[in-house]
Amino acid sequence: MRNNAGVSSSAESLRFLLIRRDNIGDLVCTTPLFRALRERFPQARIEALVNSYNAPVLENNPDLDAVYAYTKAKHRPAGKSVLGVYWDRMQLQLHLRRSRFDYVILAAPGFQPRSLQFARLLKPRHIVGFVEPGNSSPKIDIALPYALPRSMHETENVFRLLEPLGIAGTPPAQRVVAKRISNGSPALYIEGGVKPLVIGVHISARKPSQRWPMENFAKLMERLGETYNASFLLFWSPGNEANPLHPGDDEKARRLLLLTHAKSVTPSPTDHLSQLIAGLDQCDIVICSDGGAMHVTAGLGKPILCFFGKSDATRWYPWGVPHVVLQPPGMDVIDIGVEQAFAAFEQLLKVCQSQSMTAQINPPSKKSG
């Protein structure tokens, strides 16, 4: 049987490479493509090309045979020259070219000229990608016009790239797989041998409009701790907020820890994305703003209470997991009150119960009074 791209659904020797070069959340939104390809072509070889910054998102992913990562010049480690970065990239290109891919998929929204340039150097049989409406690119032989409907999630949007391969419909859940044993992972608070409700709280956000005040976090954590006997893992990006390249939230975290009277808070700064993934995997529910951590949490299958500031919640809400989105009319999370957040958390618990997630989220009964 062959689909409209001439792909044999029983082919065992097909080789796919998907390229996604950008941010953490964007890559998480692409993981349903790997899953769908694996289900449709179980014997094919499916590989991914990403950057060193977001590569941990794909570690341990069972849908992939290999993950390749290149380093952007701005992310190069200390002691590594820009020339060395580009030399390594050229060596990677030569290695991938020898793989003789059948399909290279430019798995990102819109026309991607840099990814296309990289893909052409690999000389695959076919290149699949978006082109701008009304335009065409002779260098993309399987082209889809790009137009983002207002009601379409990023995951749905990118998933359309699989239509020429005979894969359509609603994308499956996102998939991020944490290492079950990770040195340095934060310890869980256990009282009387009974694991309490563990709530992850992630305070870092790139956009100013996504930064909820520390005073609010402190009060919400106290309220949830008293009501549900909850234990907390506090996540943030370490460093000094004055650092222009990699601002951190050490000072905010210290302030929050001084402000809150929640009885069990485990500070969990994450220097590396793999640490964040391992830590979030230990949580029952996560409270955070829109961003990479939110999408990683969704990929781990965790329910999320998420704050949206000046960003498109329709396009970027947590995909495939129970969630409650709070986005004030002024598009700044500072306008979200503690009582509103607490009510949203209780709403999220009800959503989890309605979706039969009580086995995963089994909080103790509310404390009376």
Side-chain angles (χ1 to χ4, degrees):
M1 182 178 72
R2 293 182 177 272
N3 59 36
N4 57 344
V7 182
S8 173
S9 60
S10 61
E12 297 184 0
S13 59
L14 288 175
R15 298 181 69 105
F16 296 91
L17 177 70
L18 285 79
I19 300 177
R20 185 96 201 214
R21 307 171 57 254
D22 37 21
N23 298 321
I24 294 168
D26 303 287
L27 181 56
V28 175
C29 290
T30 308
T31 58
L33 278 73
F34 307 132
R35 200 166 190 171
L37 278 171
R38 177 60 66 204
E39 291 175 358
R40 180 63 185 269
F41 305 107
Q43 302 304 317
R45 185 163 181 85
I46 302 171
E47 305 177 12
L49 173 65
V50 296
N51 64 64
S52 58
Y53 177 69
N54 64 17
V57 166
L58 300 183
E59 288 180 2
N60 313 305
N61 190 307
D63 302 317
L64 292 169
D65 295 293
V67 177
Y68 301 97
Y70 70 92
T71 301
K72 293 183 178 181
K74 64 180 180 180
H75 293 153
R76 69 186 186 276
K80 186 79 171 183
S81 68
V82 174
L83 182 61
V85 167
Y86 286 111
W87 172 259
D88 290 345
R89 191 178 304 181
M90 184 180 70
Q91 295 301 306
L92 176 59
Q93 288 172 338
L94 292 173
H95 172 76
L96 293 175
R97 182 167 174 169
R98 289 193 291 269
S99 296
R100 299 184 180 277
F101 291 104
D102 295 286
Y103 293 89
V104 171
I105 301 174
L106 310 182
F111 180 61
Q112 304 291 319
R114 290 187 179 180
S115 294
L116 174 58
Q117 182 181 24
F118 192 106
R120 292 187 67 229
L121 291 172
L122 308 185
K123 295 191 177 299
R125 288 178 55 206
H126 302 285
I127 297 177
V128 183
F130 285 119
V131 294
E132 298 301 326
N135 296 325
S136 62
S137 172
K139 301 169 185 176
I140 299 179
D141 62 307
I142 302 178
L144 289 83
Y146 178 77
L148 179 63
R150 291 184 178 273
S151 61
M152 185 172 285
H153 192 276
E154 175 72 2
T155 299
E156 297 173 294
N157 182 35
V158 178
F159 198 74
R160 293 187 294 133
L161 287 164
L162 299 187
E163 290 177 2
L165 303 175
I167 302 172
T170 302
Q174 298 167 348
R175 177 176 275 173
V176 176
V177 182
K179 293 181 180 178
R180 294 302 172 182
I181 300 176
S182 177
N183 293 331
S185 294
L188 294 181
Y189 173 81
I190 299 179
E191 182 179 19
V194 178
K195 178 179 175 294
L197 178 69
V198 179
I199 302 174
V201 176
H202 190 278
I203 63 173
S204 295
R206 181 174 54 86
K207 297 179 182 178
S209 68
Q210 310 272 48
R211 298 169 187 166
W212 210 41
M214 295 303 102
E215 294 83 356
N216 289 4
F217 273 119
K219 293 176 182 177
L220 179 61
M221 290 166 67
E222 288 176 21
R223 181 82 180 274
L224 292 173
E226 292 171 358
T227 305
Y228 294 103
N229 191 29
S231 178
F232 298 91
L233 296 181
L234 178 62
F235 302 101
W236 74 91
S237 299
N240 191 316
E241 63 181 355
N243 186 325
L245 294 178
H246 301 286
D249 288 317
D250 285 344
E251 183 56 39
K252 288 182 181 179
R254 282 192 291 268
R255 187 157 170 258
L256 173 55
L257 290 167
L258 289 173
L259 286 170
T260 189
H261 297 292
K263 69 175 183 179
S264 176
V265 183
T266 302
S268 307
T270 53
D271 294 285
H272 193 267
L273 179 55
S274 59
Q275 290 178 304
L276 178 62
I277 293 171
L280 290 171
D281 190 51
Q282 298 182 66
C283 301
D284 296 310
I285 297 179
V286 173
I287 301 171
C288 61
S289 290
D290 170 41
M294 183 194 75
H295 292 290
V296 167
T297 304
L300 291 166
K302 308 292 182 176
I304 306 171
L305 170 58
C306 44
F307 305 146
F308 271 75
K310 199 172 183 179
S311 59
D312 187 350
T314 300
R315 183 177 180 182
W316 296 107
Y317 68 84
W319 177 263
V321 295
H323 65 273
V324 174
V325 170
L326 290 179
Q327 185 171 40
M331 306 291 278
D332 192 320
V333 300
I334 198 172
D335 296 327
I336 299 171
V338 175
E339 287 299 320
Q340 183 183 6
F342 180 80
F345 185 91
E346 296 206 306
Q347 179 186 347
L348 178 58
L349 285 182
K350 292 178 181 177
V351 172
C352 294
Q353 292 167 358
S354 69
Q355 297 188 17
S356 301
M357 293 189 68
T358 51
Q360 298 177 33
I361 302 173
N362 190 23
S365 301
K366 287 186 182 183
K367 290 186 176 181
S368 60

